[in-house]
Amino acid sequence: MNTQNKSAVTSEGKAGTNTNPSQRSGTSESVLRPAVDIHETADELVLRADMPGVARERLDIRVDGNNLLIEGTIGIAPQEAMAALYADVRSTMYRRQFVLSNELDSANIAASLQNGVLTVRLPKRAENKPRRIPVN
Amino acid sequence: MFTRFDFPESSLFSDVRRLERELDDLFGGGTTWSSGIRSLPPGTFPAINVGSTDDQVTLYVFAPGLDAKSLDIQMQQNLLSISGKREEPPERGATYYRQERFRGEFRRALTLPDDVDPDNVEAKYRDGIVEIIVKRRASAKPRQIAVQ
């Protein structure tokens, strides 16, 4: 379901073109790709994404047509004088995109964020939920 | 899982290490390039950033979705270890398409600079990041020497 491969994400976040409005800091900063779990039940699809450091106000979830875009910025502000000794995480921006399918009710997507884990619930349209056919 | 690394306080070394990592990323895990004996594969959980000032060393442990009580942070001299568990039982009867997120127990240990004070450590958990502040001993701070 993910339409963007890793290199596409990286090249999008890299410098050169500063026309990208979502690029907020740094010129050589790449974009982090959050790890996700996706599962489906009878009523909905549930997406969970690890986005440590992102507070609610720095999270942006957008549905544009069939496209679900998840973006977030890490809100830790190290002191000015701090020198980096070691860094596994070398960017402050998360981004990941998914293509939704038509049976999902995109008007009723719900999202919540707890301890850096984002949960997005994508309900199925009523007519697409599996129905049990009663046998008389 | 027990991973350990230490770092010299020299930007030259960290530059070399960064270059190593970038080569690793570029060539898919470095099948031909040799990697540092304590280097970690990209994506190891939890990711850690370490920064320092004259007064303190600050660690940012990227560990989302944990119960703060389940975290165990220990300090022995200048060796800091952090361990914990992330348990999320899979949804029953659900179909999983992707399971990229880490599950299970983790442990990481770091050798901090020699002048840290093991009795002066604070930790807090916010938005999925454990921030650990370890103060440095006063004697280690740079002092200005007045010229007579």
Side-chain angles (χ1 to χ4, degrees):
Chain A
M1 272 166 76
N2 183 13
T3 51
Q4 266 186 316
N5 61 31
K6 203 174 179 183
S7 62
V9 173
T10 312
S11 61
E12 200 180 312
K14 280 244 164 91
T17 52
N18 278 327
T19 49
N20 186 349
S22 51
Q23 193 174 339
R24 274 156 219 166
S25 62
T27 45
S28 62
E29 196 174 48
S30 58
V31 173
L32 303 165
R33 188 171 184 260
V36 303
D37 287 354
I38 297 175
H39 72 257
E40 178 169 5
T41 66
D43 302 323
E44 60 182 359
L45 271 153
V46 180
L47 179 151
R48 286 212 169 86
D50 279 351
M51 300 174 84
V54 177
R56 193 157 295 144
E57 58 275 13
R58 287 168 174 271
L59 179 70
D60 191 14
I61 302 166
R62 263 176 289 166
V63 179
D64 182 7
N66 252 351
N67 212 24
L68 171 70
L69 175 71
I70 297 167
E71 276 186 339
T73 319
I74 298 177
I76 48 174
Q79 292 166 261
E80 276 295 303
M82 193 177 278
L85 289 184
Y86 178 86
D88 283 331
V89 179
R90 285 165 290 156
S91 173
T92 56
M93 175 103 190
Y94 296 100
R95 186 188 299 137
R96 205 154 166 183
Q97 247 169 268
F98 296 91
V99 174
L100 303 178
S101 58
N102 286 327
E103 83 270 18
L104 298 171
D105 183 1
S106 57
N108 285 306
I109 295 175
S112 62
L113 183 67
Q114 204 189 6
N115 284 342
V117 179
L118 168 71
T119 304
V120 183
R121 294 184 180 277
L122 307 134
K124 295 180 189 175
R125 290 183 205 279
E127 61 269 28
N128 285 299
K129 287 180 188 166
R131 276 179 306 146
R132 202 182 180 95
I133 314 294
V135 181
N136 291 308
Chain B
M1 188 189 342
F2 185 90
T3 48
R4 177 174 171 174
F5 56 87
D6 51 16
F7 35 79
E9 268 191 277
S10 140
S11 63
L12 177 65
F13 273 97
S14 55
D15 279 352
V16 170
R17 198 152 296 184
R18 200 189 63 228
L19 181 65
E20 256 177 27
R21 290 272 308 246
E22 280 169 11
L23 288 170
D24 260 13
D25 291 351
L26 205 58
F27 295 109
T31 42
T32 51
W33 288 88
S34 53
S35 7
I37 194 81
R38 288 191 168 104
S39 70
L40 296 168
T44 302
F45 186 92
I48 298 181
N49 281 13
V50 186
S52 82
T53 65
D54 293 341
D55 303 318
Q56 65 187 53
V57 175
T58 309
L59 293 92
Y60 300 98
V61 184
F62 293 74
L66 294 185
D67 178 4
K69 289 183 209 83
S70 78
L71 271 170
D72 182 24
I73 302 167
Q74 293 195 12
M75 190 85 188
Q76 190 190 7
Q77 307 265 31
N78 64 333
L79 180 73
L80 183 137
S81 63
I82 175 161
S83 57
K85 195 191 263 188
R86 185 159 87 164
E87 274 193 329
E88 259 177 58
E91 211 79 27
R92 282 172 73 97
T95 312
Y96 271 83
Y97 298 107
R98 280 173 191 274
Q99 268 189 292
E100 301 167 353
R101 297 170 58 239
F102 175 87
R103 278 184 169 80
E105 289 180 18
F106 61 86
R107 179 176 169 86
R108 279 190 82 169
L110 301 92
T111 312
L112 300 181
D114 292 334
D115 59 10
V116 295
D117 182 357
D119 299 319
N120 209 334
V121 186
E122 276 171 46
K124 61 180 179 212
Y125 188 55
R126 222 185 78 203
D127 295 332
I129 291 186
V130 193
E131 183 178 347
I132 306 170
I133 295 173
V134 188
K135 296 281 184 206
R136 306 181 98 145
R137 287 198 193 88
S139 59
K141 288 177 198 164
R143 272 175 305 155
Q144 186 144 22
I145 312 295
V147 180
Q148 306 284 328

